[in-house]
């Protein structure tokens, strides 16, 4: 049997006048293709009546196959919503196009560029080659964070930009990230760090089980599977063992928490860049943040400044402030132990550089892998189940 989907074009009007003809043609195409699923391309579909919808339901029941719809215009999508069929079938609206010619670029990062669309919205335009499913996933995660009550950017839709790029549209939150705010006026550093630590705690006090949000351990396992060319099988098993030893939890995890992923909006901090969000133990967020605010400074200070948009001095101070404010009841000696443990754990993320840090200098990827081999893997037994925070 053919394991690929049959793509079937729907066009014009489908109503009681031609429903029987459409049904016969559809059944014939499905039988000839022998495919387990049908993707209906509705870009040329103008109208579908209840008779047309009945055809779809009858054919699904007769052939026991999966059906989905793409390029659905707003009027047709409304019919699916009104009838409740959008809960049965995957109905994807036609993607609107967005023109950025003449728009002001607000910034750029590892995955794309950010432009101002108008006074109220911005667009993150991803570089060519980034899979559309990854782009849509970031949008879904942004929606999930908002629904969970996290102060985060309001997401709109995913759009086409030109012939080979896609973008996510978000609300416009001003022009300054937390890293820019600190760099421009370091005299209020302590104030911003208190808000920064408060937001970190709020994320981890949010206990959720959101549909479509992956568990952090599963993500790390997939990362290591993608690093097979860089490590031995024993190395990879050891890394997975350490990940699995971190306690189970259903806390919300940002995954890339640092001041350049936070906007300042009327003295409030709002999270952006939620593509790495997951569900797990707070340790995963601490180790991820340490990877950019502690270890990256040691590996490559210049790149650390590029990544976080802050001077090394403030990166280091910010990391220590985050520890102090998140562990206020611990002594300096106890916090120092926690600091060492988190820095070591953070090499889990450093170890994933071949998969998650594409686009950075090749030398930095090699240094990251060597760092994990020399300083993490030999100490995994020491770290496993060792922390009590």
């Amino acid at each position: 049997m053919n394991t690929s989907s049959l793509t079937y074009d729907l066009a014009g009007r489908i109503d009681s006048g031609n429903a029987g003809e459409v049904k016969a043609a559809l059944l014939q195409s499905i039988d000839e293709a022998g495919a387990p699923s049908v993707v209906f391309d509705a870009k040329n579909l103008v109208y579908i009546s209840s008779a047309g919808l009945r055809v779809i339901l009858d054919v699904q029941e007769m052939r026991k196959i999966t059906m989905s719809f793409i390029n659905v215009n707003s009027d047709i999508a409304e019919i699916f919503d009104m009838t409740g069929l959008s809960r049965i079938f995957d109905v994807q609206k036609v993607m609107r196009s967005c023109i950025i010619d003449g728009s002001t670029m607000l910034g750029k990062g590892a995955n794309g560029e950010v432009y101002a669309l108008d006074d109220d919205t911005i667009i993150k335009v991803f570089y060519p080659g980034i899979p559309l499913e990854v782009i849509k996933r970031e949008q879904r995660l942004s929606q999930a964070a908002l629904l969970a009550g996290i102060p985060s950017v309001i997401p709109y839709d995913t759009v086409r930009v030109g012939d080979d790029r896609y973008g996510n549209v978000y609300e416009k939150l001003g022009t300054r990230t937390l890293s820019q705010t600190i760099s421009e006026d370091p005299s209020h550093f302590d104030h911003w760090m208190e808000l920064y630590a408060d937001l970190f705690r709020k994320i981890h006090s949010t206990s959720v089980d959101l549909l479509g949000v992956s568990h952090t351990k599963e993500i790390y396992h997939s990362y290591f599977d993608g690093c097979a060319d860089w490590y031995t099988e024993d190395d990879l098993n050891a890394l997975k063992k350490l990940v699995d030893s971190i306690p189970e939890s259903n806390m919300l995890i940002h995954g890339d928490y640092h001041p350049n992923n936070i906007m300042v909006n009327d003295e409030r901090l709002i999270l952006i860049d939620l593509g790495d969000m997951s569900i797990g133990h707070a340790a995963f967020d601490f180790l991820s943040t340490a990877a950019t605010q502690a270890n990256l400074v040691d590996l490559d200070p210049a790149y650390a400044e590029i990544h976080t948009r802050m001077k090394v001095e403030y990166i280091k101070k910010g990391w220590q402030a985050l520890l102090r404010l998140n562990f206020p009841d611990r002594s300096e000696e106890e916090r120092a132990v926690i600091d060492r443990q988190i820095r070591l754990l953070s090499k889990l993320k450093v170890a994933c550089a071949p998969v998650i840090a594409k686009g950075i200098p090749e030398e930095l990827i090699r240094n990251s892998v060597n760092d994990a081999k020399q300083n993490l893997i030999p100490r995994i037994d020491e770290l496993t189940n060792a922390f009590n925070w």
Side-chain angles (χ1 to χ4, degrees):
M1 182 177 180
N2 187 357
T3 58
S4 60
S5 296
L6 166 67
T7 299
Y8 193 91
D9 291 337
L10 298 175
R13 297 173 60 89
I14 303 177
D15 52 30
S16 58
N18 64 354
E21 179 184 342
V22 171
K23 182 176 181 179
L26 177 55
L27 285 170
Q28 181 179 348
S29 295
I30 290 172
D31 292 342
E32 290 176 352
S37 62
V38 178
V39 177
F40 291 104
D41 190 338
K43 63 176 176 293
N44 295 316
L45 183 62
V46 176
Y47 174 74
I48 186 167
S49 71
S50 58
L53 296 175
R54 177 55 60 189
V55 166
I56 302 298
L57 290 169
D58 285 350
V59 171
Q60 183 191 45
E61 177 61 25
M62 293 170 67
R63 294 297 184 263
K64 308 297 183 186
I65 59 176
T66 302
M67 295 179 168
S68 59
F69 297 78
I70 61 173
N71 297 321
V72 180
N73 67 43
S74 297
D75 291 338
I76 302 295
E78 186 176 354
I79 292 173
F80 275 93
D81 287 338
M82 282 191 300
T83 59
L85 293 182
S86 58
R87 297 181 219 172
I88 298 176
F89 302 115
D90 177 18
V91 179
Q92 298 182 26
K93 291 183 179 181
V94 63
M95 191 177 296
R96 68 184 177 99
S97 295
C98 188
I99 299 173
I100 59 172
D101 294 345
S103 298
T104 301
M105 182 189 290
L106 302 177
K108 61 191 307 184
N111 294 321
E113 303 154 342
V114 177
Y115 294 86
L117 286 180
D118 51 41
D119 291 339
D120 299 312
T121 57
I122 58 99
I123 180 172
K124 179 179 179 181
V125 182
F126 291 80
Y127 296 128
I130 295 180
L132 181 58
E133 62 188 53
V134 172
I135 297 170
K136 288 186 173 181
R137 177 179 180 272
E138 180 171 314
Q139 201 75 336
R140 289 197 304 271
L141 291 177
S142 298
Q143 294 167 352
L146 201 65
L147 291 173
I150 299 298
S152 53
V153 63
I154 297 173
Y156 291 97
D157 54 346
T158 299
V159 300
R160 184 185 296 275
V161 182
D163 295 330
D164 61 349
R165 300 181 72 177
Y166 297 93
N168 287 333
V169 179
Y170 298 98
E171 69 170 319
K172 189 175 182 181
L173 286 168
T175 59
R176 292 184 305 156
T177 63
L178 180 57
S179 59
Q180 289 172 317
T181 301
I182 290 172
S183 298
E184 292 169 6
D185 184 10
S187 64
H188 293 88
F189 180 84
D190 291 342
H191 165 71
W192 293 119
M193 282 300 103
E194 288 181 6
L195 297 181
Y196 180 62
D198 284 344
L199 180 54
F200 204 49
R201 285 193 294 270
K202 180 174 178 59
I203 295 171
H204 302 146
S205 65
T206 302
S207 181
V208 294
D209 191 9
L210 296 172
L211 186 66
V213 181
S214 301
H215 286 264
T216 321
K217 290 185 180 182
E218 296 173 0
I219 293 174
Y220 270 90
H221 273 258
S222 69
Y223 286 161
F224 292 133
D225 288 341
C227 291
D229 292 338
W230 294 80
Y231 298 96
T232 67
E233 185 175 351
D234 287 343
D235 287 343
L236 294 173
N237 288 336
L239 291 167
K240 291 178 180 179
K241 173 187 173 182
L242 180 55
V243 166
D244 291 340
S245 76
I246 295 175
E248 296 291 337
S249 179
N250 64 340
M251 297 176 187
L252 203 59
I253 304 299
H254 181 269
D256 194 18
Y257 192 83
H258 59 75
N260 203 46
N261 278 338
I262 299 172
M263 299 298 295
V264 176
N265 187 50
D266 293 332
E267 296 297 306
R268 295 180 64 238
L269 302 187
I270 307 293
L271 279 173
I272 60 172
D273 204 352
L274 295 153
D276 293 320
M277 195 175 76
S278 60
I279 296 173
H281 191 280
F284 284 109
D285 244 354
F286 277 103
L287 73 85
S288 177
T289 298
T292 57
Q293 294 195 18
N295 284 337
L296 187 56
V297 171
D298 295 333
L299 281 172
D300 192 326
Y303 190 78
E305 290 191 348
I306 293 172
H307 183 72
T308 62
R309 300 295 195 273
M310 290 199 305
K311 293 181 178 178
V312 166
E313 172 190 358
Y314 296 116
I315 298 173
K316 291 181 176 180
K317 285 179 64 177
W319 170 243
Q320 291 303 320
L322 196 65
L323 286 177
R324 185 179 68 256
L325 294 169
N326 272 278
F327 300 101
D329 299 329
R330 302 295 184 100
S331 66
E332 288 189 20
E333 291 76 12
E334 289 173 324
R335 281 199 296 270
V337 171
I338 293 172
D339 187 5
R340 287 193 295 271
Q341 288 179 338
I342 295 175
R343 285 173 184 256
L344 271 176
L345 278 174
S346 76
K347 296 183 189 297
L348 276 170
K349 189 156 190 178
V350 173
C352 303
V355 171
I356 65 176
K358 292 178 180 178
I360 72 170
E362 177 77 16
E363 182 180 0
L364 185 52
I365 293 179
R366 287 197 302 271
N367 290 343
S368 299
V369 170
N370 290 334
D371 186 28
K373 288 181 175 179
Q374 295 171 13
N375 301 311
L376 174 62
I377 293 173
R379 301 181 67 177
I380 280 180
D381 287 339
E382 169 194 337
L383 279 172
T384 302
N385 300 317
F387 61 92
N388 62 352
W389 39 271

